[in-house]
Amino acid sequence: MERILFVVKAKEFGGLEIVLLDWLSCIDYSKVSVILCCYGTDALSERLAASGLPVETVKLTISESEPFWRAFPKWVHLFSSIRPNKIVILEAVLSELDATPVLAAWWSNHGNVFLFEANWGRSVLTASPMLKRKLHFGFLPGIGLYRYKEIFRQRLRGRLARHTFVVSQGIKDNLISHYGYPAGRTSVLYHGVDAERFRPSPSDRVEFRRAHDIPEDATVVVSHGRLVSRKRVDRVLKAFDVLSAEYPNLWVLLTCYGPLKAEVEQMVANIEARRRIKLVGFQTDSSRVLKASDVYVLSSNDEGFGIALVEALSTGLVCVATDGPGPKDIIANGQNGFLVEANEEGVLRGLRQVLCLHPDERDRLVQRARKTAEDRFEIGAAIRTALEAMEIPRR
């Protein structure tokens, strides 16, 4: 029986872990055995255990700070002890696990290694304030060697992988043009959502609102997901702070968990209309918060794909998303949602545009949004395409 090893960092639970669980749920375990190797997150472990899937788990103990000469033999030993026929490395951000495990997987597994990248790495070729030369001894400028090392590291990863899968066209173009990934071995794999679970439900809407003391006639803006810096949920709160006086029936609903939880709570405490901001914890079923809402905002600095955005489209929300590689593949601006600049002014302008929509135009936009999710991002088709591309048997 073929053995397939999935490697994922998984220190938090997010979109990448949702994709992985969806894949695992559709594998034909009569033909393959599956091992999951990760640093571990309680949410991922709990969901995997609840699924009852026959997946063996191995906890990663290799320190991320170890130098190559120490980490490489440990990765080789790990892969050799498991002896998989195929290795799939999933990363929430490009090179999250660096090149070392990719090289070790290629070395141990005769090159049968797949990469799945859920977000891009910033190009080291373009000018950026973040790429200023390092000063040695406080005054001697460097020669930009880091950029060449990064290009080499990424090019090596792309060359070693049998195939690299990414979640949007923008990421694919970036990897090919900036890092030299082979065009013939780099492909886009969109994920999808369950359009039956993520659909409007008047009864669920009323039930959730009553449980959280939200008026039934309120206009609710929602943003859900883990609170990390690149998600920039502060842009949603700042826009609400401006609009709350103009729209007394405007409310905000946020899932509040992750590294920036305390910071967001403090920011909310300083907003005058904080009574109309509802913070809820991690939602096992994210469809509940979406069904209770009217407008969805994705305010990230960049977003590789945006599963939450597709969930919101499917649930019939008017969507505002910052103009990143993922949203560009999902939103046709003004047709099924709105794309805005990735800054405070852009998010504010997008929300104001939504609040000024005529009811008929709003209905047409919501219908097109729902159709986008059903036609282009149906979960069953997305999983079939992914497993077939990786040559993994499905049920």
Side-chain angles (χ1 to χ4, degrees):
M1 181 178 288
E2 186 180 36
R3 291 169 62 81
I4 301 173
L5 173 65
F6 289 93
V7 181
V8 61
K9 193 172 182 179
K11 287 192 172 179
E12 298 282 352
F13 190 86
L16 181 65
E17 289 70 35
I18 291 174
V19 172
L20 175 59
L21 287 175
D22 286 341
W23 288 354
L24 294 176
S25 69
C26 292
I27 290 176
D28 185 348
Y29 291 94
S30 69
K31 297 179 180 178
V32 296
S33 61
V34 173
I35 306 97
L36 173 61
C37 191
C38 64
Y39 286 103
T41 170
D42 290 341
L44 177 59
S45 300
E46 289 169 6
R47 289 198 178 195
L48 189 59
S51 71
L53 297 172
V55 176
E56 178 186 348
T57 58
V58 176
K59 188 173 180 61
L60 270 176
T61 57
I62 303 171
S63 173
E64 298 173 70
S65 61
E66 288 193 77
F68 171 82
W69 61 271
R70 291 182 61 183
F72 180 74
K74 291 182 179 180
W75 280 106
V76 170
H77 175 73
L78 173 67
F79 294 141
S80 298
S81 64
I82 296 174
R83 301 180 65 183
N85 303 97
K86 184 177 298 175
I87 300 175
V88 182
I89 298 176
L90 301 92
E91 297 179 307
V93 179
L94 180 69
S95 202
E96 182 179 37
L97 291 169
D98 200 24
T100 307
V102 180
L103 178 59
W106 175 85
W107 181 276
S108 309
N109 201 45
H110 309 292
N112 202 14
V113 181
F114 294 91
L115 297 180
F116 181 79
E117 307 295 348
N119 209 336
W120 60 3
R122 289 297 187 182
S123 170
V124 297
L125 299 179
T126 55
S128 167
M130 298 178 64
L131 297 174
K132 291 181 179 179
R133 289 184 177 183
K134 180 179 179 180
L135 293 180
H136 299 282
F137 308 109
F139 68 93
L140 186 64
I143 60 174
L145 188 60
Y146 162 77
R147 299 170 71 182
Y148 296 103
K149 286 169 60 180
E150 181 64 17
I151 292 168
F152 172 77
R153 183 160 49 238
Q154 293 299 340
R155 186 162 295 175
L156 176 65
R157 285 162 50 92
R159 298 291 174 179
L160 292 176
R162 177 178 165 188
H163 207 102
T164 299
F165 299 104
V166 296
V167 295
S168 65
Q169 187 63 42
I171 299 177
K172 176 183 176 180
D173 294 342
N174 184 64
L175 293 184
I176 293 171
S177 61
H178 290 166
Y179 294 126
Y181 275 55
R185 291 192 282 126
T186 307
S187 305
V188 177
L189 273 183
Y190 294 127
H191 199 56
V193 301
D194 184 345
E196 287 303 308
R197 184 159 71 95
F198 290 94
R199 65 182 305 123
S201 171
S203 60
D204 290 347
R205 174 188 176 93
V206 170
E207 180 183 346
F208 188 94
R209 290 192 177 204
R210 287 178 178 173
H212 292 84
D213 296 320
I214 301 173
E216 293 184 21
D217 62 345
T219 299
V220 178
V221 175
V222 65
S223 183
H224 76 297
R226 190 165 52 95
L227 298 176
V228 293
S229 57
R230 70 179 183 86
K231 294 294 186 180
R232 294 303 305 269
V233 72
D234 61 294
R235 292 170 177 160
V236 179
L237 293 172
K238 289 176 181 178
F240 171 76
D241 198 21
V242 172
L243 296 170
S244 58
E246 302 174 41
Y247 297 91
N249 213 27
L250 185 65
W251 288 62
V252 166
L253 177 59
L254 299 177
T255 53
C256 193
Y257 67 97
L260 298 184
K261 179 177 182 292
E263 185 176 323
V264 169
E265 289 174 339
Q266 182 59 51
M267 185 174 182
V268 169
N270 293 328
I271 293 176
E272 185 174 350
R274 56 187 173 274
R275 183 185 64 83
R276 290 187 270 143
I277 301 174
K278 290 293 181 178
L279 303 179
V280 296
F282 174 77
Q283 300 292 296
T284 304
D285 182 4
S286 59
S287 70
R288 296 177 64 247
V289 296
L290 294 176
K291 290 173 182 178
S293 305
D294 303 283
V295 182
Y296 175 80
V297 180
L298 189 156
S299 53
S300 305
N301 281 335
D302 58 77
E303 194 73 30
F305 178 60
I307 291 177
L309 177 59
V310 180
E311 290 173 348
L313 291 175
S314 183
T315 310
L317 275 63
V318 181
C319 295
V320 176
T322 45
D323 194 1
K328 279 182 179 178
D329 287 5
I330 299 168
I331 297 290
N333 192 31
Q335 298 299 310
N336 61 353
F338 298 98
L339 293 173
V340 299
E341 301 91 343
N343 54 42
E344 293 174 17
E345 293 77 13
V347 172
L348 174 60
R349 185 162 47 251
L351 268 176
R352 193 183 295 278
Q353 188 173 4
V354 170
L355 294 172
C356 291
L357 282 174
H358 186 277
D360 290 344
E361 178 55 29
R362 175 191 171 85
D363 289 343
R364 286 193 292 270
L365 190 143
V366 164
Q367 290 171 7
R368 289 191 291 263
R370 171 77 181 170
K371 184 172 175 54
T372 298
E374 291 177 330
D375 292 351
R376 297 183 54 212
F377 302 107
E378 194 276 319
I379 184 65
I383 294 173
R384 286 194 299 271
T385 299
L387 294 182
E388 288 172 4
M390 291 180 282
E391 300 173 3
I392 299 174
R394 58 181 177 83
R395 292 187 290 182

